[in-house]
Amino acid sequence: MTQAAATGATEEVTIRRARASDAASIAGVRIDSWRASYRGLVPDSYLDSLKPEQSVKLWEQVLGASSDAACTFVAEAGGEVIGFASGMTLADSKFGCDAELSAICVLPDEQRRGLGKKLLANVAATLISAGATGLMAWVLAKNEGAREFFKALGAEQLFEQTFTWDDGTEIDEVGFVWRKLK
């Protein structure tokens, strides 16, 4: 783990709005969770090349522009960020949805504790307050854990499509939607 140690099931977890000062922690959580979840699903060379400092500036910009129309929440335990979720409203609706869950990552040792559900609920509530009525999310088709997570939370699977990774690798992704946010 690069940014946070496992907290164990007894550590109290706080869900809060992310701050610009969380950018490095969010970048580290993203890398750790991607390496654990996507190994064998995307090119290993890409996962191995991920470095937190490459995405810290991007996260600082995202967090600096945060509003109800674009929000990020973190799960924090013992002063360490152990997960995050980010979403935004869309200028143009897609598939009947006017908002998108752009990221949701929880450190591998912290998964299956309900943190993803709590993070998603906070993002959805904030997007609803910004006027959103439907939410969409994209998942790698072979990421069974993520697919089951979204299905368990009532998301409808729309379809699969193929996209081309930076190195030319073709990867399938699945679109999920919640047509009525509540």
Side-chain angles (χ1 to χ4, degrees):
M1 282 183 245
T2 59
Q3 292 294 317
T7 61
T10 60
E11 182 96 29
E12 184 177 333
V13 176
T14 302
I15 306 295
R16 64 167 174 81
R17 191 79 177 243
R19 301 181 286 261
S21 61
D22 294 319
S25 295
I26 289 171
V29 167
R30 178 182 166 269
I31 289 170
D32 286 349
S33 65
W34 273 46
R35 285 181 177 158
S37 299
Y38 295 163
R39 184 74 60 191
L41 304 181
V42 300
D44 285 351
S45 59
Y46 173 78
L47 295 173
D48 294 339
S49 72
L50 293 174
K51 295 182 178 22
E53 57 273 10
Q54 293 171 331
S55 64
V56 169
K57 287 197 185 303
L58 169 69
W59 280 107
E60 286 172 342
Q61 290 175 335
V62 168
L63 298 173
S66 190
S67 68
D68 284 352
C71 61
T72 302
F73 286 85
V74 296
E76 185 178 61
E80 298 288 327
V81 173
I82 59 172
F84 74 95
S86 190
M88 63 186 167
T89 58
L90 301 171
D92 298 312
S93 291
K94 295 179 185 174
F95 311 108
C97 295
D98 50 9
E100 183 172 1
L101 180 68
S102 51
I104 186 165
C105 297
V106 175
L107 288 174
D109 290 344
E110 303 296 342
Q111 293 176 3
R112 306 253 180 237
R113 293 180 56 196
L115 301 179
K117 181 178 180 177
K118 290 176 183 174
L119 288 163
L120 177 58
N122 277 270
V123 169
T126 303
L127 295 174
I128 289 169
S129 72
T133 58
L135 182 67
M136 66 181 301
W138 293 99
V139 175
L140 295 183
K142 292 183 179 178
N143 187 340
E144 292 297 329
R147 290 176 75 144
E148 290 305 314
F149 172 75
F150 288 125
K151 286 178 187 176
L153 294 178
E156 172 190 351
Q157 180 178 324
L158 280 183
F159 61 86
E160 289 189 27
Q161 67 182 18
T162 301
F163 71 95
T164 304
W165 198 261
D166 295 341
D167 70 349
T169 303
E170 290 192 346
I171 298 175
D172 294 329
E173 65 181 353
V174 180
F176 283 92
V177 298
W178 292 268
R179 294 194 190 276
K180 294 183 180 176
L181 283 179
K182 46 186 170 218

